[in-house]
Amino acid sequence: MGRDDTPIRRKLTAIVLMTSTLALLFTVASFATYEYFAFRQSAARNLDSLGRIIAANSTAALAFANPDDAREILAALKAEPQIAAAALYDREGKLFATYPESPRPEVLPDSPDRTGYRFAAGYLEGFQPVVQGTSWTVGTLYLRSDLREIYARFRLYGLIAALVFGVSVLMAYLISRRLQRQISQPLLAIANTARAVSDRQDYTVRVPVADGRELGQLTEALNHMLARLQSQEEEQRESQHKLEAQLGRLELLNRITHAIGERQDLSNLFQIVLDRLQDDLPVDFGCVCLCSPSADYVTVARLGARSNALAAELDMMEEAKIATNQNGLARSLKGSLVYEPDVTLVNAPVPRRLARAGLRSLVIAPLVAESTVFGLMLVARHGQHAFSSGECEFLQQLSGHVALASHQSQLYEALQTAYEELRKSQQSALQQERLRALGQLASGIAHDINNAISPVALYTESLLEREPNLSERAREYLGTIQRAVDDVAQTVARMREFYRPREPQLILTQVDVNNIARQVIDLTRARWRDVPQESGIFIELSTDLTSGLPKVMGAESEIRDALTNLIFNAVDAMPQGGVLTLRTYLVSLSAPEGEPETRVTIEVGDTGVGMDEETRARCLEPFYTTKGERGTGLGLAMVFGMVKRHSGEIQIDSKPGIGTAIRLSFAAMTAGSAVAQLPASHLPARRMRVLIIDDDPVLIKSLRDTLEADGHAITTANGGQSGIEAFLSAELRGESFAVVITDLGMPYVDGRKVAAAIRAASSSVTIILLTGWGRRLLDDNDIPPGVNRVLAKPPKLHELRMVFAEIAGRDPMAA
Amino acid sequence: MVVLAWGVAQATAAPPTEQQVKAVFLYNFAQFVEWPATAFANESAPFVIGVLGADPFGSDLDAIVHDESIANRPMVVRRYSDVAEIDNCQILFISTSEKSRLEEVLSVLKGKSILTVGDTEGFTTRGGMIRFVTEHNRIRLRISVGATAAGQLTISSKLLRLAEIVPPGRT
């Protein structure tokens, strides 16, 4: 037991002790008190009874004055040791008999007192009448009982009681000390357990089960609670772990999402995801597959960095194809996440391969974008049942993110492409617009120039035709003028080339390239000699024109333009001066068909800055220019266009710092080539009434003059309205015109309205639309209704004559 | 009360004479003896103390008995000269004057519930119930229980204690 003096033990012992002590005390006290009073009462009663007995017995003795007998009777009192004295008094109150026989004189009263017994100090005494029968008093009896002995005996009892009390208390103490353990021990155990739990948070401790119903219940209940607490704590820890794991996965998801958020490159994206998965989740094998368009196989697009070894084993290297049916991939291709806790139980080739490689748990996450599965993400681990539901959820979410990111990257690529295309088309549209604007401008200019040079052409032609006495020189000059005007017209007409993708109508003639070369040299002299000279730059011209070259079928002016362009380029390439070479020669090539082909080549060379490879490759591109702001980038493009139209070839040699040589080669004309002959100039047809409508008086005059020279009756009108009026009034007069030549571009009432009005008025008249936009209209097939022919300005006499001839031929009656 | 008064009176006077004491004793016997119901004619019949023969008591007995009652019966004193006169008597003192005819008297009274008291010599042996015996200046009693039994009288043991008992069968 030892010194187990803990408060509870002391308390319990003290309680028991105090209880038992008090109980004992109370008992003793009550009993003592009761005994005391009972004793007194019984003593009194006893004395009374005794008295009565003695008295009753003494009646005869008293009645018959027999003191001996009386004494005898009293002597019986010896049996009662506590009776100290007794006396009988006769009727007169005289002492009759005493007990003991000779008592001490002070003990007995002299004469009887009142009836009744009284307690005096230490003794009980009293008087009693001696009555015979009911009322015959014969004397008085006196009894005296000594209580002292009794009290002594009482004291003895008290002592014994005290002793017993003490022993009881001691026993109570010992027993209580023994028995309190039944309560205090379990309580202490409970207290200790509670302290252990609260100090150490240790819920595995248990209270030793106590005996007894209440304590037992208590301890059981406590243990139950502790067990619950323990299991709750474990549950809490578990859910804490789960939460932490979940948090970890969320973080991982976040990291991966961040990492791939920036990526636009699809395979890079996949790589990052797989690497992260391998390192951080972790997994033992991971790959991303993309679905084929028909979804009957998937291609391994990317492998995790450390998965390559396993992939080799699995025959799942990059670009490997895996068929989808019967491979357990069907479900995932429908869009659900598939988790195989143990692939050895799945009977399909791919799972079996995985199992052979030691990978037993497999998760296949579909990559879904716009409700279509476009790929699969496979991850596997060596252990079976190795993926928790939390991880599966994570993979599902991740696959969502990956799908989104890859879709986004694809979209981005598409967007980029679209943007590029848009930009290109925008640029080309811009170019178109620019060209259109240019075209508009050009048209306007063309129109104006055409108008302007029409008189020149007309008069020149007329002069050449009709003017007698032209000197040789005049004829030569006029010829040059005519050619120049022609060139101007052609050039103006060809301005369209820059904005018109379609081939203009090509009038092919037999061309002598040497002639053209010479003409070009002349035309461009200012550019290669005069202007540089002013800046102190000297360009030497070197020509080498092979004579006797066969003719080439082509458009003279076009070839001229091209050569002009080349020469301009050559001059531009030599800002410090240099040598400009112009050569023509014949080249024989053996064509694959057997018959050797001869090509006539014109070469333009310079010793200028030359072109690097890239420039050389791109110099023929439209709008590609090295001349910065000055260049349109259209020159060589135009040349190229021309060469192609002539079915020729262009060759460019260039070395930076050395120079450039450009060769244009054309098929030489053979005897059998078809030649588009110029139609013979017709003699003027018979005389017709012609109405000329234009807003340009100079043109009107020139046309009038030339046509009148041909013998036609010309009426002119200035402007569309007056033209219509003139026609109508002539119709009314009955002098209808056979031909109406009208300009297109006139203010207020333009050529179309005129044509419409005149056509309405007459269905037989031939309406010729003469316009500065002539070629364009022809090309566009945009001929206004009612118009029979469209001719371009400047008008060629022979063209006009041809038309008249046709009319005459058609309608011999027209006059 | 009477007794006490008498006692007081006596205290101032001379000590009681023998006859006075006997008279008192006679009166006292009434208290210590039980008579059967047949001894009385009815309920209100008096209690009679008779003296047969020469009355030695004089007025003492009368004085003692005067106004006394016992068991609600008034006590009277009667004097008889002849035994035949006795019809209803509870205590009969037979004086010594009858000593020669004692047996005859007693035989007449035999079986009757009359307490025969006398001081004649051999009273009880001759059939009497109670005899006064004077010894040492004291009056002692001698009681014959056989006689009393014959008379269907019950003597209180208290009285018997004091007395010398004459056992039945002994004369």
Side-chain angles (χ1 to χ4, degrees):
Chain A
M1 250 175 23
R3 294 275 303 160
D4 45 3
D5 224 8
T6 59
I8 191 158
R9 287 187 170 115
R10 262 185 277 143
K11 259 202 206 122
L12 280 172
T13 316
I15 289 172
V16 171
L17 256 183
M18 224 165 55
T19 316
S20 34
T21 307
L22 276 173
L24 274 173
L25 257 177
F26 185 70
T27 314
V28 166
S30 338
F31 267 118
T33 313
Y34 171 74
E35 279 302 317
Y36 178 72
F37 285 107
F39 164 72
R40 275 166 75 107
Q41 216 180 20
S42 72
R45 223 194 351 259
N46 282 348
L47 207 59
D48 188 70
S49 315
L50 201 58
R52 275 181 215 270
I53 291 167
I54 301 285
N57 279 330
S58 317
T59 50
L62 274 166
F64 296 105
N66 198 333
D68 294 325
D69 193 35
R71 245 178 266 124
E72 211 180 303
I73 290 172
L74 286 181
L77 285 170
K78 223 190 297 204
E80 295 277 339
Q82 78 269 22
I83 303 289
L88 277 166
Y89 300 85
D90 62 14
R91 271 191 227 106
E92 286 91 46
K94 268 215 311 283
L95 200 61
F96 185 70
T98 64
Y99 164 79
E101 283 205 22
S102 47
R104 292 200 308 277
E106 65 273 15
V107 165
L108 287 170
D110 297 329
S111 55
D113 213 330
R114 55 186 162 89
T115 309
Y117 289 95
R118 292 161 280 279
F119 285 94
Y123 46 91
L124 175 67
E125 63 178 4
F127 292 93
Q128 180 145 8
V130 180
V131 178
Q132 173 60 35
T134 48
S135 55
W136 191 46
T137 310
V138 291
T140 316
L141 172 65
Y142 169 80
L143 284 176
R144 181 193 183 92
S145 178
D146 197 345
L147 299 177
R148 268 183 237 222
E149 226 176 274
I150 302 295
Y151 285 156
R153 214 155 355 123
F154 244 137
R155 273 197 291 280
L156 179 65
Y157 289 156
L159 225 70
I160 293 174
L163 189 67
V164 169
F165 178 81
V167 170
S168 308
V169 164
L170 182 67
M171 270 179 33
Y173 174 71
L174 290 171
I175 292 176
S176 74
R177 267 179 76 92
R178 186 95 224 292
L179 292 180
Q180 53 79 30
R181 274 198 288 162
Q182 281 195 347
I183 300 213
S184 72
Q185 242 177 13
L187 284 177
L188 280 171
I190 291 174
N192 282 335
T193 311
R195 207 179 317 120
V197 167
S198 74
D199 286 352
R200 305 197 305 261
Q201 309 288 333
D202 180 4
Y203 296 107
T204 60
V205 299
R206 294 286 183 270
V207 181
V209 176
D211 302 322
R213 223 179 45 180
E214 289 83 2
L215 279 178
Q217 274 180 355
L218 178 64
T219 49
E220 266 180 39
L222 277 172
N223 284 340
H224 197 63
M225 272 202 296
L226 284 172
R228 279 267 301 278
L229 274 172
Q230 190 185 6
S231 75
Q232 268 182 2
E233 209 211 11
E234 278 172 10
E235 272 177 30
Q236 220 184 11
R237 244 183 285 137
E238 224 186 91
S239 51
Q240 181 103 345
H241 283 155
K242 278 211 183 114
L243 262 173
E244 279 170 6
Q246 190 84 332
L247 267 174
R249 282 195 289 273
L250 263 174
E251 227 191 274
L252 181 59
L253 188 66
N254 197 26
R255 266 184 281 139
I256 295 184
T257 312
H258 260 289
I260 64 177
E262 319 286 306
R263 306 290 162 176
Q264 305 301 341
D265 178 2
L266 206 59
S267 57
N268 203 355
L269 194 151
F270 290 150
Q271 189 72 53
I272 289 177
V273 171
L274 288 170
D275 287 345
R276 274 281 144 75
L277 276 180
Q278 275 201 257
D279 292 338
D280 295 337
L281 194 61
V283 296
D284 298 318
F285 174 77
C287 74
V288 173
C289 306
L290 292 171
C291 295
S292 67
S294 49
D296 51 345
Y297 62 88
V298 299
T299 316
V300 177
R302 222 58 181 142
L303 287 165
R306 289 187 274 119
S307 300
N308 284 307
L310 277 171
E313 254 187 76
L314 294 167
D315 195 16
M316 280 171 64
M317 298 298 291
E318 276 179 35
E319 306 303 321
K321 292 202 184 10
I322 306 168
T324 53
N325 7 330
Q326 273 128 42
N327 241 329
L329 297 175
R331 249 191 309 153
S332 39
L333 285 169
K334 291 209 180 70
S336 27
L337 181 88
V338 171
Y339 170 43
E340 293 290 350
D342 192 352
V343 291
T344 54
L345 305 172
V346 179
N347 195 4
V350 164
R352 263 191 269 131
R353 267 190 268 162
L354 286 165
R356 268 204 302 268
L359 299 162
R360 299 203 47 190
S361 307
L362 170 70
V363 176
I364 309 178
L367 302 172
V368 181
E370 290 177 1
S371 314
T372 1
V373 179
F374 67 89
L376 297 173
M377 190 165 67
L378 264 95
V379 291
R381 280 184 175 149
H382 287 301
Q384 45 178 328
H385 295 275
F387 288 98
S388 68
S389 67
E391 284 172 328
C392 286
E393 243 183 70
F394 164 79
L395 287 166
Q396 174 112 354
Q397 291 170 338
L398 181 64
S399 68
H401 283 267
V402 171
L404 197 69
S406 51
H407 186 62
Q408 257 179 308
S409 103
Q410 283 172 339
L411 282 176
Y412 182 75
E413 272 178 33
L415 189 72
Q416 284 282 76
T417 325
Y419 178 70
E420 263 312 309
E421 281 186 22
L422 185 71
R423 206 177 57 83
K424 282 209 193 119
S425 55
Q426 193 184 42
Q427 273 201 339
S428 96
L430 258 171
Q431 297 294 356
Q432 299 272 31
E433 271 315 299
R434 226 189 295 165
L435 282 177
R436 208 182 305 274
L438 261 176
Q440 297 270 45
L441 182 68
S443 296
I445 296 176
H447 178 266
D448 290 345
I449 294 181
N450 283 337
N451 270 1
I453 59 171
S454 292
V456 178
L458 279 172
Y459 284 132
T460 319
E461 203 172 343
S462 188
L463 274 176
L464 276 173
E465 222 167 79
R466 297 183 191 265
E467 196 62 24
N469 311 326
L470 272 180
S471 66
E472 208 44 53
R473 188 162 56 177
R475 201 160 284 275
E476 193 193 322
Y477 286 175
L478 280 173
T480 307
I481 292 169
Q482 197 182 41
R483 269 200 304 282
V485 166
D486 228 8
D487 279 351
V488 169
Q490 292 290 347
T491 307
V492 163
R494 257 203 311 285
M495 272 203 285
R496 293 187 288 115
E497 276 179 37
F498 300 133
Y499 54 87
R500 270 271 75 87
R502 289 200 291 161
E503 304 257 324
Q505 286 209 337
L506 207 56
I507 298 177
L508 298 174
T509 53
Q510 294 186 20
V511 173
D512 180 354
V513 298
N514 287 340
N515 253 1
I516 292 179
R518 276 183 229 109
Q519 284 166 3
V520 167
I521 292 171
D522 286 339
L523 279 169
T524 58
R525 181 158 292 116
R527 198 65 200 280
W528 57 264
R529 196 183 68 179
D530 299 334
V531 170
Q533 242 178 18
E534 280 174 25
S535 317
I537 299 166
F538 177 63
I539 295 181
E540 187 192 319
L541 176 70
S542 156
T543 56
D544 179 12
L545 306 178
T546 313
S547 54
L549 287 177
K551 298 253 190 323
V552 165
M553 279 305 292
E556 257 196 44
S557 53
E558 284 201 19
I559 298 176
R560 249 203 306 278
D561 271 347
L563 271 183
T564 309
N565 209 287
L566 290 178
I567 286 177
F568 283 175
N569 280 359
V571 171
D572 284 338
M574 295 183 290
Q576 316 295 335
V579 181
L580 174 66
T581 322
L582 191 62
R583 292 173 59 213
T584 60
Y585 50 86
L586 199 64
V587 171
S588 254
L589 305 165
S590 55
E593 288 90 71
E595 193 170 311
E597 204 184 323
T598 34
R599 303 190 75 84
V600 175
T601 305
I602 313 174
E603 184 182 305
V604 174
D606 64 67
T607 58
V609 293
M611 294 185 279
D612 60 14
E613 186 51 46
E614 191 199 333
T615 314
R616 196 191 70 77
R618 294 186 67 185
C619 61
L620 295 175
E621 268 179 40
F623 307 115
Y624 183 83
T625 178
T626 55
K627 297 185 190 165
E629 292 263 322
R630 292 188 300 115
T632 59
L634 294 173
L636 281 178
M638 190 258 309
V639 169
F640 180 67
M642 180 280 291
V643 165
K644 280 291 158 225
R645 274 197 297 282
H646 284 74
S647 311
E649 295 200 356
I650 181 167
Q651 224 180 340
I652 306 173
D653 282 338
S654 181
K655 271 206 175 55
I658 308 289
T660 308
I662 300 186
R663 284 177 221 101
L664 310 179
S665 52
F666 305 93
M669 245 191 71
T670 52
S673 340
V675 171
Q677 294 286 356
L678 266 178
S681 40
H682 291 244
L683 280 170
R686 54 168 200 281
R687 190 170 186 277
M688 278 190 271
R689 211 172 269 141
V690 182
L691 173 64
I692 304 177
I693 308 172
D694 204 322
D695 58 337
D696 185 351
V698 179
L699 181 63
I700 289 178
K701 185 165 183 316
S702 59
L703 269 174
R704 184 201 201 102
D705 290 345
T706 41
L707 287 177
E708 269 180 348
D710 272 3
H712 298 294
I714 311 294
T715 314
T716 62
N718 195 323
Q721 190 57 39
S722 51
I724 296 173
E725 280 164 10
F727 184 83
L728 290 174
S729 64
E731 282 284 308
L732 282 174
R733 281 200 312 273
E735 299 168 352
S736 18
F737 293 99
V739 182
V740 171
I741 303 176
T742 172
D743 185 19
L744 179 60
M746 291 181 289
Y748 306 115
V749 183
D750 71 352
R752 281 179 220 273
K753 291 201 187 102
V754 168
I758 291 175
R759 181 55 66 209
S762 157
S763 54
S764 59
V765 66
T766 303
I767 304 177
I768 300 174
L769 199 64
L770 189 69
T771 172
W773 289 294
R775 285 272 158 76
R776 210 170 100 197
L777 285 181
L778 275 175
D779 285 343
D780 283 348
N781 285 324
D782 199 8
I783 302 168
V787 170
N788 296 94
R789 292 295 296 273
V790 174
L791 288 180
K793 287 187 192 170
K796 298 261 187 338
L797 254 186
H798 64 260
E799 283 181 4
L800 282 167
R801 283 183 186 143
M802 218 162 49
V803 173
F804 285 139
E806 270 187 50
I807 297 161
R810 217 173 45 229
D811 189 7
M813 300 306 291
Chain B
M1 304 302 146
V2 153
V3 179
L4 214 61
W6 194 77
V8 167
Q10 281 295 94
T12 52
T17 63
E18 191 180 317
Q19 296 311 100
Q20 280 170 334
V21 171
K22 284 179 184 171
V24 170
F25 281 14
L26 275 179
Y27 169 78
N28 287 347
F29 285 144
Q31 302 284 349
F32 292 93
V33 175
E34 262 181 53
W35 281 261
T38 54
F40 298 95
N42 52 40
E43 279 184 21
S44 52
F47 188 92
V48 180
I49 299 177
V51 176
L52 183 64
D55 181 3
F57 302 111
S59 62
D60 292 331
L61 189 58
D62 298 89
I64 289 165
V65 171
H66 177 65
D67 265 344
E68 289 295 332
S69 60
I70 177 157
N72 293 324
R73 293 179 197 282
M75 291 175 88
V76 298
V77 176
R78 298 219 178 112
R79 283 161 176 96
Y80 306 104
S81 51
D82 194 65
V83 72
E85 293 168 10
I86 304 167
D87 54 353
N88 201 25
C89 179
Q90 275 72 46
I91 300 174
L92 185 68
F93 182 79
I94 304 173
S95 78
T96 49
S97 64
E98 308 299 305
K99 89 173 154 185
S100 56
R101 294 186 272 179
L102 194 58
E103 283 91 348
E104 189 187 325
V105 169
L106 288 171
S107 69
V108 172
L109 297 170
K110 195 180 178 106
K112 290 201 182 147
S113 303
I114 297 173
L115 185 73
T116 52
V117 182
D119 48 13
T120 318
E121 190 132 345
F123 184 75
T124 50
T125 52
R126 290 159 77 171
M129 293 178 190
I130 300 178
R131 184 192 158 195
F132 289 129
V133 175
T134 310
E135 287 177 3
H136 314 301
N137 239 13
R138 285 203 178 273
I139 301 172
R140 307 211 75 98
L141 301 174
R142 195 174 285 168
I143 302 179
S144 162
V145 289
T148 57
Q152 288 113 48
L153 298 170
T154 312
I155 311 286
S156 166
S157 56
K158 299 177 195 173
L159 186 56
L160 288 175
R161 283 173 62 107
L162 309 169
E164 187 187 322
I165 308 293
V166 176
R170 186 177 164 215
T171 49

